[in-house]
Amino acid sequence: GGKELTGHSIPEVYGAYEPTAVFVPLAEMMKEENFAKCTKELFGPFQVVTEYKEGEIDTVLEALERMEHHLTAAVVSNDIQFVNHVLGNSVNGTTYAGIRARTTGAPQNHWFGPGGDPRGAGIGSPEAIKLVWSCHREVIRDVGPIPQGWTTPKAT
């Protein structure tokens, strides 16, 4: 990935690139000189992927705590105690949790923005931060069981 797309009508100011994924080991991501680069929010087809091993969940939770905006998150697991541990030790806006937790930054029919009013989101401003933390945290749980033969619904 990372190559500029050709043959499209997207205005140049927005940029148009092939989807790109970069793997960064967790220990490298956590280094002061790498963390901001690895966790910068980009509006494009780009993702930083890492992995963690048994006993490293506290490092993952530290990474979540160090991130700047705490917008949307997901915990995908069928281990309820693990899900509860992560939810109880992290702060985010809308959080999807369970075995089919959707990981979208644009929730459908769910609270988004302070007090349920998306016009007040203003993410990053001091006023928005005060308003966001004055309201509830939306946690959408999906703990199953998954019916036999279930498949992800077609996008609409």
Side-chain angles (χ1 to χ4, degrees), residues 18-69:
E18 291 178 352
T20 304
V22 176
F23 178 82
V24 179
L26 183 60
E28 288 299 315
M29 182 182 87
M30 295 301 290
K31 290 181 178 175
E32 193 62 40
E33 63 270 20
N34 299 331
F35 192 79
K37 292 177 210 142
C38 291
T39 60
K40 174 131 181 89
E41 183 175 22
L42 299 174
F43 292 92
F46 186 88
Q47 62 182 340
V48 174
V49 180
T50 193
E51 64 183 359
Y52 68 96
K53 296 173 180 57
E54 187 79 31
E56 291 183 319
I57 190 62
D58 288 338
T59 304
V60 173
L61 291 170
E62 178 190 339
L64 296 177
E65 199 57 30
R66 284 175 60 190
M67 287 183 193
E68 202 170 314
H69 294 299

Side-chain angles (χ1 to χ4, degrees), residues 83-97:
V83 169
N84 288 340
H85 177 73
V86 173
L87 293 177
N89 290 284
S90 60
V91 292
N92 289 293
T94 301
T95 303
Y96 299 90

